[in-house]
Amino acid sequence: MFKVIIAIGADHGGFILKQPIIDFLKKRNIEVMDFGTFDDQSSVDYPDYVQKVCKAIIKKDADTGILLCGTGIGVSIAANKYPGIRAALCTNVDMGRLSGQHNNANVITLGGRLMDAETAVSIVSAWLDTPFDNSEHSRHKRRVGMIDELDKRYINQEIKQTKTGGCQTMQRVFEFDHPLIQHKISLLRDKNTGTKEFRELVSEIAMLMAYEVTRDLPLMDVDVETPMGIAHSKVIAGKKLGFVPILRAGLGMVDGMLRLLPMAKVGHIGLYRDPQTLEPVEYYCKLPVDANERDMVVLDPMLATGGSASAAIGFLKDRGISSIKLVCLIAAKAGIERINKDHPDVDIYCAAIDEVLNDHAYIVPGLGDAGDRLFGTK
Ligand code: RB5
């Protein structure tokens, strides 16, 4: 395997191995994305670091990853929950070599309480230097192919798997279960809710959703002088954010998001359906100049067939934007499947999932036409 950029993450138990491995990688001119943790003084939760490393690989910001905890076990279990990740727990050099040759491992995991830094570096070196047996009739290739098939089989399954923070996680879909959001969604669905209240609710729900959508923003350490002394604190680091409402209903979500993230930039994209081909056509697109350096969040209250959202995401990708999330209020299962299929790298965040679409592609029960209800045009 040709490894160029390696993402690394550790909890307090694996921290001791992190810097020696980074030093070794840098000597080999390999670029390293270091997702922390940055000291071993406080007890942290390894799934947080696993998420950062795996997401970097899934989004192709990094080619492969190294995860470290006390034993290497917790991080390997967590990493293998992510589609496309093949994480191998290695305790000796042979395992490092074979995880490359037999398993095409794109992540290796090591235990800081089970080995010294020299052994860890030797394992990393063996993994890096052993290519996958990719020959035509390779049994290893066949077996890794079977693992990839498992990913595909389960990626669209609508199984609520784990509860993280305030949302239920499905494969690439986060359905928010916070009582405030659920309450406001019920008010929004009510046909007797008038335009003013509807608009306020959309904005409030968007603001509450922004909290979870930004859960994986990277942090960096800062020292802040308080009136009483120095606090070792954290601020948001790295990539910047942008919102892209799909015209026109997506506009209703912008204010709420900006209330929590006032520094974000806002682009706009407008689509119409070609009456002949029925394909979405872009009629307007204005994005921040540095959009491809930002995490861009596409906003559209209703994910029905997924056609426009998929096209909008495609148009953003055509402009070189690679980090994209989709936030909607109500998503139909068909729309989720469409986005998962067309853009498996894009996470979907929604406040409710509805079963069906009617013949006119409206979500049922849904909430009606979000654009009309927002702007009082019907
Ligand atoms: C943390 O104390 C420890 O449980 C963790 O580093 C890891 O060993 C879990 O598998």
Side-chain angles (χ1 to χ4, degrees), residues 11-14 43-44 46 68-75 113:
D11 76 354
H12 52 288
S43 173
V44 294
Y46 59 80
L68 312 165
C69 66
T71 57
I73 297 173
V75 284
R113 293 181 185 145

Side-chain angles (χ1 to χ4, degrees), residues 65-108:
I66 299 173
L67 284 164
L68 312 165
C69 66
T71 57
I73 297 173
V75 284
S76 72
I77 293 173
N80 281 310
K81 301 284 178 205
Y82 288 83
I85 298 297
R86 289 177 302 279
L89 168 63
C90 299
T91 56
N92 60 46
V93 172
D94 280 339
M95 290 175 84
R97 181 173 56 79
L98 293 172
S99 70
Q101 187 183 335
H102 288 192
N103 314 108
N104 200 16
N106 52 8
V107 172
I108 58 164

Side-chain angles (χ1 to χ4, degrees), residues 121-319:
V121 165
S122 312
I123 295 172
V124 171
S125 169
W127 169 62
L128 286 173
D129 291 335
T130 313
F132 179 48
D133 174 6
N134 205 15
S135 54
E136 199 184 344
H137 298 295
S138 155
R139 61 188 189 283
H140 305 303
K141 187 178 175 184
R142 181 179 71 247
R143 289 164 189 159
V144 170
M146 289 165 76
I147 297 174
D148 290 344
E149 282 306 311
L150 283 177
D151 270 350
K152 282 187 206 143
R153 189 182 321 161
Y154 290 112
I155 199 163
N156 284 328
Q157 274 210 357
E158 289 162 6
I159 302 168
K160 292 185 176 178
Q161 290 180 325
T162 46
K163 229 177 162 208
T164 43
C167 56
Q168 304 271 345
T169 310
M170 300 190 312
Q171 294 284 5
R172 312 222 62 89
V173 181
F174 299 83
E175 183 187 4
F176 291 70
D177 62 358
H178 194 284
L180 275 177
I181 295 183
Q182 294 308 307
H183 179 83
K184 288 177 192 291
I185 284 285
S186 301
L187 298 175
L188 208 57
R189 286 184 189 273
D190 188 337
K191 66 177 186 185
N192 296 314
T193 299
T195 302
K196 176 177 179 288
E197 201 188 342
F198 189 92
R199 203 180 289 143
E200 286 164 0
L201 284 165
V202 169
S203 183
E204 286 167 7
I205 296 169
M207 185 182 72
L208 294 170
M209 291 179 87
Y211 179 77
E212 276 299 332
V213 172
T214 50
R215 175 174 283 280
D216 59 356
L217 283 182
L219 291 171
M220 65 182 198
D221 295 325
V222 287
D223 282 350
V224 179
E225 197 175 342
T226 78
M228 308 301 287
I230 300 294
H232 305 299
S233 197
K234 296 196 185 294
V235 290
I236 290 169
K239 283 191 174 172
K240 298 169 281 183
L241 273 180
F243 298 121
V244 188
I246 301 182
L247 301 176
R248 68 185 158 145
L251 290 173
M253 299 172 74
V254 176
D255 268 4
M257 292 271 168
L258 283 177
R259 239 182 285 165
L260 218 57
L261 298 148
M263 303 303 283
K265 297 275 188 322
V266 182
H268 296 86
I269 190 159
L271 308 166
Y272 69 89
R273 189 171 290 275
D274 182 293
Q276 247 82 55
T277 65
L278 300 180
E279 288 300 314
V281 180
E282 180 187 300
Y283 68 83
Y284 183 81
C285 185
K286 182 90 181 167
L287 299 173
V289 276
D290 57 353
N292 51 10
E293 291 162 24
R294 290 175 180 268
D295 286 329
M296 297 303 280
V297 181
V298 175
L299 306 174
D300 195 1
M302 307 300 280
L303 181 67
T305 63
S308 339
S310 175
I313 293 167
F315 292 138
L316 297 184
K317 287 184 174 175
D318 290 346
R319 291 172 166 88

